[in-house]
Amino acid sequence: MDFVKGLSRRSVLQVGAMAAAGASGFVPTRFAIGNTAKVKVGFLLPYTGTYAGLGEAITNGFKMAIEERGGKLGGREIQYVAVDSEANPAKGPENTNKLVSGENVDFIVGPVHSGVALGMVKVVRESGTITIIANAGAGAATGPLCAPNIFRTSFTNWQTAYPMGKVAVDRGLKNVVTMSWKYAAGEEALSGFEAGFTKAGGKVTKQILVPFPSDEFQANLTEIASLKPDGVFVFFAGAGALKFVKDYAAAGLKSIPLMGPGFLTDGVLKAQGEAAEGVLTTLHYADALDTSENKVFRAAYAKAFAKEADVYAVQGYDAAQLMVQGMAAVKGDAGAKPALIEAMEKAVIKSPRGAFTLSKAHNPVQDIYLRQVKNGKEIVIGVADKALADPATGCKMA
Ligand code: PHB
């Protein structure tokens, strides 16, 4: 895989070759080079920082699905290019442009961070680049900023949080403190939870927001202890989630039930150890799902990467499945966008999470599982919300 830092030497060489071809009067059309040219897939993912593990899992999952399906897209070989998003929203548009203009990719897969997604979406709405969001849950990407060329194989932040509201009330938790990083994902997850929670009769007594990606939680944990809520609902992910769950236990707060979207434990459960016992989460995936797709997927992933698969790997895997179905329908002609988009809209994804389809706004309609850590394992308690679709408020497809 090539990493792009500004314009790579290779892409500069390519531009040179194209100019030479133009000068000789030979201008290849998009399909004159058709089946022989490689399909270019650009990853816009974090490979450094608090979300680095998430970017790696998405990349692994994506490549594994492609390899399992013959290593090609619509009969064409693939060239991967990766840009490290650094989960930095300020660099979102610039990093997207490295792939769109600098590398002229056929597809973008990414990002992880909702703030990066918002910048990316603005660029790809203009360029028309077919984009599959493999994590970032920003509601706007499949809401007011939705577009025919923008798809998602992950979730909206609302989807992973709303169902926990009723669960909390059903468990007798009436007064809850919420906490997260102050950016789109955290704020949307907390408001999603609060919507479901207040509807069911609960009350959020305090919302705490800390800057992203700070992992200095001590002062906030002291405040939570003094507030004595019935429960605590948080959105954290990656290295921050690992630290929060450990700090929560170390602060002596384990008697207060800790809840959140499943990112709180996914990919970091082992490292959290004892501290994660009892943590209650909602998510569109769980390691322990008892389906043949999930078992085969997890075994193959463990074999290929010597590590346990997690929700991020699933989302990358499913992004590839969506692309494979689209590219098969157009026989590898990535430029046949209306037909490609139509095939992707109709795709049924046989995901390790369970089969799913896409809503009109191009977001998965999916079951949200209720999970709890017991004896170091993520147990599936049940389905908290069946075939949940994001409301996609404000989405008008052009
Ligand atoms: C997001 O920024 O949308 C985000 C990041 C990490 C997660 C989930 C959502 O695990």
Side-chain angles (χ1 to χ4, degrees), residues 152-168:
R152 178 149 49 199
T153 56
S154 51
F155 57 87
T156 62
N157 296 311
W158 176 89
Q159 268 182 318
T160 61
Y162 178 83
M164 187 61 96
K166 185 171 182 311
V167 171

Side-chain angles (χ1 to χ4, degrees), residues 174-178 193 197 203-206 229 231-233 259:
K174 289 279 173 59
N175 296 304
V176 164
V177 171
T178 61
F193 167 76
F197 188 50
K203 187 170 185 296
V204 171
T205 51
K206 168 108 195 180
V232 174
F233 179 94
M259 302 168 276

Side-chain angles (χ1 to χ4, degrees), residues 221-286:
L221 292 169
T222 306
E223 186 186 4
I224 290 172
S226 72
L227 289 167
K228 296 193 176 56
D230 300 333
V232 174
F233 179 94
V234 302
F235 167 91
F236 288 108
L242 167 56
K243 174 98 176 355
F244 183 85
V245 168
K246 287 195 137 191
D247 287 1
Y248 191 84
L253 292 176
K254 292 283 295 176
S255 59
I256 306 173
L258 179 60
M259 302 168 276
F263 313 115
L264 196 52
T265 52
D266 247 73
V268 286
L269 180 60
K270 240 191 214 136
Q272 286 166 335
E274 268 289 300
E277 273 310 295
V279 172
L280 189 66
T281 56
T282 36
L283 199 68
H284 51 291
Y285 177 68

Side-chain angles (χ1 to χ4, degrees), residues 51 54 112-115 135-138 155 157 183 185 235-238 263 312:
Y51 287 162
L54 288 60
V112 160
H113 186 289
S114 276
N135 185 72
F155 57 87
N157 296 311
Y183 84 96
F235 167 91
F236 288 108
F263 313 115
Y312 309 106

